[in-house]
Amino acid sequence: MNYRGRFAPSPTGHLHFGSLVAAVGSWLCARHAGGQWLLRVEDIDPPREMPGSAESILGALPAFGLVADAPPLFQSRRRDAYDAAFEQLKAAGLVFPCWCSRNDLAGGLHLDGQCLAAPVEARAPAWRLRVPDVDIAFVDSLQGPQTQNLRLAAGDFVIRRVEGYYAYQLACVVDDAFQGITQVVRGNDLLDSTPRQIFLQRCLDLPTPAYLHLPLALDGEGRKLSKSERAHPVDPTHPAPALRRALDFLDLPARQDTNDPAALLEHALAHFSPERLPHCSERAAA
Ligand code: GLU
């Protein structure tokens, strides 16, 4: 099977260091395998999005030498596919409507596999997936063997929200299959989402790709970089410094004799193999 990787940013801001690392890491894995590298804009959560962010991120990537093999897929245009997946789950009896408020949930009105809150005629419910007491195991290509008890870790998780938006987990699984992704390379903050995604793939009869979770970039105080004030955007008009830092973060050599992003990436690619990536779950960004 031909390798297909992807970079799937949420348009909640400009490209920042953590997302540049995910973009570079997924690009290197795809190019090393002689495969394709695809883009997906995860614009399914309008309240969290920043106007102009998708254009900003998509415009910045080529400036860093990261050129995709196909036009980007926009999740905002994929509603029909998510509706179809949702109907499939519903027909199989795998989802249930939930009218709980957050307070209800804290008070235990919600039990496994059903919602005890009274339906509220005036508003639509959220829809939850019925999660059995199951251990989901997989081998992450970098982080090694993983096991998660899905009921304990996630419970009956929401796949369609009260507002009618589909949850990231559902959209991600439907689109990884649609784009024919064979390996997901992304930041380690999504490692604990992976069992939910594997379970959804099984429910929907979709293939499970391989997974590789890159170390998460932390700031000097040990906070996730994207959540801290250091999440300032990387500068696509002067790409070399941030690109060198991203390569360094991934333990790859960064040429000092050129500022050409394509040349920096090609040199790193020549020294790259996935086994040589740093085997840690997080590390400080330089
Ligand atoms: N859209 C997610 C993010 O920007 C990444 C999703 C994924 O790679 O599966 O954090």
Side-chain angles (χ1 to χ4, degrees):
M1 192 178 3
N2 288 338
Y3 185 107
R4 277 177 163 227
R6 53 44 159 206
F7 173 57
S10 302
T12 53
H14 299 287
L15 188 70
H16 60 81
F17 183 73
S19 44
L20 180 63
V21 166
V24 169
S26 58
W27 184 92
L28 285 166
C29 287
R31 292 290 177 254
H32 177 77
Q36 290 195 311
W37 186 67
L38 305 179
L39 294 178
R40 181 165 81 228
V41 176
E42 300 208 318
D43 51 352
I44 43 157
D45 193 353
R48 285 189 58 225
E49 283 155 27
M50 187 191 90
S53 166
E55 296 73 18
S56 164
I57 293 172
L58 293 176
L61 290 169
F64 287 94
L66 301 164
V67 179
D69 293 305
L73 184 70
F74 287 84
Q75 290 195 322
S76 56
R77 298 178 198 158
R78 296 272 301 146
R79 178 94 200 174
D80 289 353
Y82 310 144
D83 282 343
F86 175 69
E87 290 306 327
Q88 188 182 337
L89 295 171
K90 206 169 165 184
L94 296 173
V95 294
F96 65 94
C98 174
W99 277 271
C100 288
S101 67
R102 276 176 203 278
N103 288 343
D104 291 338
L105 282 175
L109 260 183
H110 171 247
L111 284 185
D112 292 322
Q114 59 178 321
C115 172
L116 303 183
V120 182
E121 294 302 332
R123 69 166 167 86
W127 287 83
R128 292 177 180 275
L129 192 69
R130 288 205 165 94
V131 173
D133 184 9
V134 61
D135 288 328
I136 303 285
F138 67 102
V139 179
D140 186 271
S141 306
L142 191 57
Q143 307 294 336
Q146 310 288 324
T147 306
Q148 188 187 76
N149 182 286
L150 204 58
R151 181 179 279 181
L152 288 178
D156 297 328
F157 58 95
V158 171
I159 57 160
R160 195 164 104 164
R161 286 155 45 190
V162 173
E163 305 88 352
Y165 301 130
Y166 284 103
Y168 154 68
Q169 310 292 356
L170 182 90
C172 179
V173 156
V174 168
D175 287 340
D176 279 338
F178 177 70
Q179 291 185 290
I181 301 304
T182 60
Q183 186 177 44
V184 171
V185 177
R186 58 188 176 192
N188 203 35
D189 50 336
L190 291 165
L191 185 71
D192 77 340
S193 282
T194 306
R196 271 172 281 177
Q197 296 181 7
I198 292 173
F199 184 70
L200 265 172
Q201 286 152 2
R202 292 178 188 169
C203 293
L204 289 165
D205 224 355
L206 298 173
T208 293
Y211 288 93
L212 188 157
H213 288 85
L214 299 164
L216 191 62
L218 303 179
D219 69 7
E221 273 94 62
R223 288 170 303 193
K224 181 180 163 183
L225 201 58
S226 61
K227 292 270 186 292
S228 78
E229 64 277 13
R230 285 200 62 212
H232 51 72
V234 289
D235 182 358
T237 64
H238 295 99
L243 188 52
R244 281 201 191 90
R245 281 174 57 219
L247 293 172
D248 189 54
F249 182 86
L250 295 171
D251 284 347
L252 287 162
R255 275 174 67 173
Q256 300 297 327
D257 60 336
T258 175
N259 282 334
D260 175 25
L264 289 169
L265 285 174
E266 285 308 322
H267 182 71
L269 182 59
H271 294 83
F272 177 79
S273 79
E275 300 77 45
R276 288 189 50 191
L277 284 165
H279 287 257
C280 55
S281 57
E282 53 188 34
R283 60 172 13 188

